[in-house]
Amino acid sequence: MINQSSEQEKSLFIGRYCYLKYLSTTPRGNFSISDVEYCYCSVGSPNGTEEEQIAFFISGLPNPKLLDGGKNLCQGVLDIWVAYKDSCVELAKCFLFTKGKEDDPFLESLSKKEINRSEYEYEWLKGELYKNLWHLIHHNSELIIKSLQKNWDYYFVSDIDLMCEIVRGVIEGEFSRYLLNIYQYNASEIDDINKLKRKMHRNELSVVEKEKLWNLIDKHTAKAIWFDRVITIANALADHGINEIKTNLDIHSKIIDAMARFNIKRVRNPALRSPRKSHYCVEGVITEGTIPKWKLHEA
């Protein structure tokens, strides 16, 4: 990533499955209206099976309406929107399609050696995470929803609505941080999260390490409220002997552990694609490195 000026250095942003064309940002009273043109490859169908409806929703993330009124839409932020959109289209394909089959979205990249086997497995882990979560919710819907209604203001009309809100909360929560006046991605702290998650999976966290982990998660992870609530309820139900839920939770834990293990490995292995470097975004301008603590405090 490089420094970006506050003026658009280019107007057309092209990804693997989408494009975004920046047109203008117009002041409108105390607000700004950003005008963009976009197109992307949708997956699934809004009127298909439950899985097709969820895949269709995922492929539409992050919603382009997030860019409306954005006074901080510099080149780097729009590049990031395109990268998230490409990732969401691939995630939707993983949710709907089958690993290793003809419709596998990563087989071509693997055969062309654009990604290696470990990276291929990692991309599918992200898809399997949400597939397993959907099975957890859908197969235990009555128990989970009853518990959610008892503890929170539950406003979803179907399991599909709940699942879509969970995915939206994670993805748009992550992307929206780049629309803030200031946001910092600290690669070394993300690496610490992955290391501590692995220790947690093995029940090896000390009290101090546990506190550090949750502080880092609060700092760097999008607040996906309904994701957290579903997992909390599922753990409580599993503790009361619901074996099917326990099975899904065990799968969830193993996927999280495998993803953390891969992220640790790719930091140390030059043969793997480099992880995203530390960077910060101030009023839409993205710069490599980290902000000195004193400067971050002033901002």
Side-chain angles (χ1 to χ4, degrees), residues 15-293:
R16 294 184 300 277
Y17 306 102
C18 70
Y19 80 82
L20 176 74
K21 186 176 183 180
Y22 172 85
L23 301 175
S24 65
T25 298
T26 307
R28 192 84 54 90
N30 295 326
F31 302 93
S32 298
I33 303 298
S34 296
D35 190 10
V36 296
E37 175 183 301
Y38 63 90
C39 183
Y40 64 91
C41 300
S42 61
V43 180
S45 167
N47 302 309
T49 65
E50 291 170 319
E51 287 76 12
E52 287 172 337
Q53 291 178 53
I54 294 169
F56 182 81
F57 181 85
I58 294 173
S59 68
L61 298 173
N63 193 325
K65 290 183 178 179
L66 290 172
L67 305 176
D68 290 348
K71 62 181 180 181
N72 297 331
L73 296 187
C74 296
Q75 177 179 331
V77 171
L78 297 179
D79 277 330
I80 286 172
W81 185 89
V82 168
Y84 267 90
K85 175 60 72 177
D86 277 346
S87 179
C88 287
V89 171
E90 290 174 339
L91 179 61
K93 290 183 177 183
C94 286
F95 188 84
L96 194 57
F97 301 152
T98 305
K99 180 180 178 182
K101 299 297 184 180
E102 186 177 348
D103 50 18
D104 184 330
F106 301 109
L107 277 182
E108 184 178 356
S109 296
L110 182 64
S111 65
K112 290 181 177 179
K113 298 185 178 179
E114 295 171 350
I115 60 175
N116 62 30
R117 176 60 64 173
S118 294
E119 291 163 333
Y120 170 82
E121 297 294 340
Y122 180 77
E123 294 300 331
W124 269 101
L125 282 172
K126 293 191 292 186
E128 294 299 330
L129 181 73
Y130 288 112
K131 279 186 180 181
N132 179 66
L133 186 63
W134 170 240
H135 293 153
L136 169 67
I137 292 170
H138 197 47
H139 295 161
N140 305 280
S141 177
E142 186 175 348
L143 282 172
I144 290 175
I145 291 176
K146 184 177 180 180
S147 297
L148 290 171
Q149 290 172 332
K150 186 184 296 184
N151 290 280
W152 295 285
D153 181 18
Y154 187 87
Y155 51 83
F156 304 105
V157 299
S158 68
D159 295 347
I160 295 174
D161 285 347
L162 173 59
M163 182 66 197
C164 288
E165 173 56 26
I166 287 172
V167 185
R168 188 203 66 77
V170 174
I171 292 170
E172 292 191 346
E174 290 177 355
F175 171 73
S176 294
R177 292 176 295 190
Y178 287 94
L179 302 177
L180 300 174
N181 284 336
I182 184 167
Y183 165 65
Q184 177 164 243
Y185 178 97
N186 190 314
S188 64
E189 291 185 347
I190 300 298
D191 191 34
D192 285 342
I193 289 175
N194 288 315
K195 292 174 183 176
L196 292 170
K197 276 185 176 180
R198 290 226 64 216
K199 293 190 73 173
M200 181 174 66
H201 179 73
R202 300 192 299 265
N203 294 317
E204 296 176 357
L205 276 184
S206 67
V207 174
V208 173
E209 287 174 327
K210 187 175 183 180
E211 183 178 358
K212 179 181 178 181
L213 172 61
W214 291 116
N215 285 337
L216 288 173
I217 286 176
D218 286 342
K219 181 178 178 181
H220 288 284
T221 306
K223 302 298 187 291
I225 296 173
W226 287 102
F227 195 139
D228 294 340
R229 288 173 176 176
V230 167
I231 295 300
T232 298
I233 290 298
N235 276 307
L237 291 171
D239 288 342
H240 282 81
I242 311 298
N243 290 330
E244 186 174 4
I245 289 180
K246 185 179 184 307
T247 298
N248 287 123
L249 286 174
D250 287 343
I251 294 171
H252 178 82
S253 179
K254 288 176 181 176
I255 291 174
I256 294 294
D257 178 63
M259 291 174 71
R261 189 166 63 246
F262 175 83
N263 283 322
I264 293 169
K265 184 190 298 182
R266 70 176 179 179
V267 169
R268 301 168 180 168
N269 188 346
L272 299 175
R273 286 185 296 180
S274 298
R276 186 181 293 171
K277 296 178 181 179
S278 294
H279 58 274
Y280 56 92
C281 182
V282 179
E283 296 184 352
V285 178
I286 298 177
T287 308
E288 283 190 5
T290 56
I291 305 176
K293 288 185 179 180

